[in-house]
């Protein structure tokens, strides 16, 4: 059981009130790295597989954009400043050009089951405005009772403020929350606040864990 909170504190009959779920890599199949690789190819760069590989400082630029602290235009300007690579013109959102995620219907069904059992299920996602609008337009958030997107709340995982914002908005204690994410850093950050965090890798293990906790 891959819980980042102390396993001894997570037993059956816990009084869980909220399921907090990541989006990319959990409910939707999408890999930012593959998208970045395609964009770099458009920029004439084929020797790097991701923005972070090209320049580690770009991670902070992307984080700032995911919090809507900078616009996409400003993000590309900073990209050029840090890499020397001139971004070619593109009509519309370049960041959305290769963003074509598919819903994982197995996960969708699982979240629906959790809701049917009486649990409140919310989305806790780091996402940029273009990607957020893409999901909204296609109804990808419809399964959730509420959506907490970094570009809307101005905070992003793994910042403690991101999780605290959700706890306060939902009026729940950290110990009442089961958090599901495919990123270990995010899980560790949530666990430090007392949230029961689970590192998601496959559906079978997740279902076993939820059954053990009597959430299914």
């Amino acid at each position: 059981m891959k819980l980042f909170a102390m396993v001894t504190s997570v037993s059956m009959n816990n009084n869980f009130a909220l399921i907090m779920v990541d989006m990319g890599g959990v409910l939707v199949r999408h890999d930012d790295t593959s998208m970045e690789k395609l964009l770099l190819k458009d920029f004439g760069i084929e020797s790097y597989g991701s923005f972070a590989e090209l320049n580690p400082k770009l991670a902070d630029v992307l984080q700032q954009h995911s919090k809507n602290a900078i616009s996409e235009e400003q993000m590309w300007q900073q990209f050029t400043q840090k890499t020397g690579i001139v971004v070619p013109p593109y009509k519309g959102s370049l960041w959305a050009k290769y963003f074509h995620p598919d819903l994982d219907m197995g996960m969708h069904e699982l979240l629906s089951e959790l809701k049917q059992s009486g649990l409140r299920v919310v989305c806790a996602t780091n996402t940029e405005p273009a990607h957020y609008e893409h999901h909204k337009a296609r109804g990808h958030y419809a399964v959730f009772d509420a959506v907490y997107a970094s570009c809307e709340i101005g905070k992003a995982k793994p910042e403690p403020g991101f999780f605290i914002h959700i706890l306060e908005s939902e009026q729940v204690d950290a110990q009442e929350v089961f958090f599901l994410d495919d990123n270990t850093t995010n899980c560790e950050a949530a666990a430090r606040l007392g949230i029961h965090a689970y590192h998601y890798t496959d559906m079978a293990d997740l279902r076993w864990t939820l059954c053990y906790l009597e959430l299914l």
Side-chain angles (χ1 to χ4, degrees):
M1 181 166 52
K2 298 168 291 186
L3 286 164
F4 279 73
M6 292 297 292
V7 175
T8 53
S9 71
V10 183
S11 58
M12 293 185 293
N13 299 314
N14 270 276
N15 187 28
F16 286 104
L18 185 71
I19 307 296
M20 189 189 302
V21 184
D22 178 37
M23 192 69 174
V26 179
L27 179 57
V28 292
R29 302 185 186 94
H30 172 67
D31 181 1
D32 279 344
T33 300
S34 61
M35 182 183 71
E36 291 170 11
K37 186 175 182 179
L38 289 170
L39 286 171
L40 288 174
K41 187 175 181 181
D42 281 354
F43 303 164
I45 306 297
E46 298 195 29
S47 53
Y48 294 94
S50 69
F51 285 8
E53 187 180 326
L54 175 65
N55 188 328
K57 293 181 180 179
L58 290 175
D60 182 61
V61 175
L62 296 178
Q63 183 84 331
Q64 290 301 307
H65 181 48
S66 76
K67 294 192 291 186
N68 221 0
I70 59 174
S71 66
E72 182 171 341
E73 181 181 5
Q74 291 171 320
M75 179 185 77
W76 292 123
Q77 289 172 349
Q78 291 193 29
F79 177 94
T80 298
Q81 290 171 3
K82 294 182 183 301
T83 65
I85 298 169
V86 178
V87 177
Y90 183 76
K91 185 177 181 180
S93 170
L94 185 58
W95 194 238
K97 182 178 180 181
Y98 294 111
F99 187 67
H100 306 295
D102 295 316
L103 278 180
D104 184 326
M105 297 312 298
M107 179 60 72
H108 190 277
E109 176 61 27
L110 176 60
L111 297 182
S112 297
E113 288 179 44
L114 290 169
K115 287 181 65 175
Q116 289 167 10
S117 71
L119 288 161
R120 183 169 169 81
V121 180
V122 304
C123 181
T125 178
N126 280 2
T127 187
E128 302 77 14
H131 294 182
Y132 179 62
E133 292 302 324
H134 179 98
H135 286 308
K136 281 176 59 180
R138 287 156 182 78
H140 291 170
Y141 295 126
V143 71
F144 296 109
D145 293 303
V147 177
Y148 295 95
S150 60
C151 64
E152 289 286 294
I153 66 177
K155 301 173 184 6
K157 297 175 289 186
E159 298 169 352
F162 177 89
F163 300 102
I164 292 170
H165 175 90
I166 298 176
L167 295 177
E168 292 178 346
S169 297
E170 293 291 325
Q171 298 182 6
V172 295
D173 293 330
Q175 295 80 5
E176 299 177 287
V177 179
F178 182 89
F179 172 58
L180 173 63
D181 199 298
D182 66 324
N183 183 293
T184 55
T185 300
N186 295 338
C187 289
E188 290 164 355
R192 282 193 290 270
L193 294 173
I195 294 170
H196 300 299
Y198 173 89
H199 178 223
Y200 177 69
T201 55
D202 66 86
M203 181 65 68
D205 186 85
L206 173 60
R207 279 193 170 272
W208 275 110
T209 300
L210 292 171
C211 287
Y212 170 79
L213 297 175
E214 297 187 349
L215 294 175
L216 284 179

